[in-house]
Each structure stands twice: as C-alpha cells, then as structure tokens.
C-alpha cells in the first residue's frame, strides 16, 4: 500500500475518534514524546498534554471534521503528510503538516 494511503488510514482513525469525542483515541496516534503545535491552542508536548488539549476540543466536536491527505512522502523511518482539514464554519479550514516516525514493533 502506498505511504499516502497508510497515513490517510491513520488520519481516518484520528478523525473517527475526534468526531466521537474521544480525546484519548485522538492522542493515541501520537508517541509519548510527541509535540503538537496548533493555532487553536498552546503547544502540547507529550501524549498526556495532547490528550488534555483534545479533551477541550472534542467537547465542541461535531460530525463535520474532515482531514484529507493532499501529499505524503517518506524516507527511512520518517514520513510526512500535508493534509487539508475542515471543522465547519465555526472553526474553519486549514492545512496541517505532520511528521511521523515509524516505531519499533510497527507503531
């Protein structure tokens, strides 16, 4: 399967968790030492902080969240996506650049 499809599947898991209000499920795609920088909140460092931020966000989540990979690539154990997201009129649309690291054991 192309890396773009693999990473879209990962984002689909994230979006399903987000839409259902599952902050823990959203944070589960991040490593323990991950960092998340967003214009919608302060920087979050570590999975627990990422989950806490998502706990706030998903309280207002609706069924309209989308995240579609525009481009993706990989080299060695690293991969990246440029993805378009939308949360409807209240939050708006944007793009997200994410970097992924393949973990030992397949994660």
């Amino acid at each position: 399967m192309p890396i773009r499809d693999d990473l879209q599947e990962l984002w689909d898991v994230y979006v399903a968790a987000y839409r259902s209000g599952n902050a823990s499920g959203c944070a589960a795609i991040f490593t323990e030492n991950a960092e998340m920088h967003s214009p919608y909140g302060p920087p979050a460092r570590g999975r627990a902080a990422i989950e806490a931020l998502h706990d706030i966000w998903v309280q207002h989540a609706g069924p309209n969240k989308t995240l579609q990979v525009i481009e993706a690539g990989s080299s060695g154990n690293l991969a990246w996506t440029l993805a378009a997201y939308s949360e409807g009129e209240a939050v708006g649309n944007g793009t997200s650049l994410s970097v992924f690291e393949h973990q030992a054991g397949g994660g």
Side-chain angles (χ1 to χ4, degrees):
M1 177 181 296
I3 190 69
R4 179 183 179 145
D5 295 343
D6 288 340
L7 295 171
Q8 182 64 60
E9 284 185 9
L10 183 63
W11 282 128
D12 291 346
V13 168
Y14 170 86
V15 168
Y18 192 96
R19 286 179 176 177
S20 68
N22 181 352
S24 177
C26 292
I29 72 164
F30 294 88
T31 61
E32 288 295 331
N33 63 346
E35 291 189 25
M36 186 181 71
H37 299 268
S38 168
Y40 304 109
R45 291 179 174 86
R47 186 182 293 150
I50 292 170
E51 181 176 343
L53 190 54
H54 276 83
D55 193 43
I56 296 166
W57 291 346
V58 299
Q59 291 178 25
H60 308 287
N64 298 324
K65 172 89 172 178
T66 62
L67 204 151
Q68 185 66 42
V69 173
I70 300 168
E71 292 192 37
S74 66
S75 179
N77 284 335
L78 297 177
W80 60 271
T81 61
L82 180 63
Y85 68 84
S86 177
E87 294 189 50
E89 289 182 32
V91 176
N93 306 315
T95 54
S96 172
L97 176 63
S98 300
V99 178
F100 302 87
E101 181 179 16
H102 189 261
Q103 301 293 301

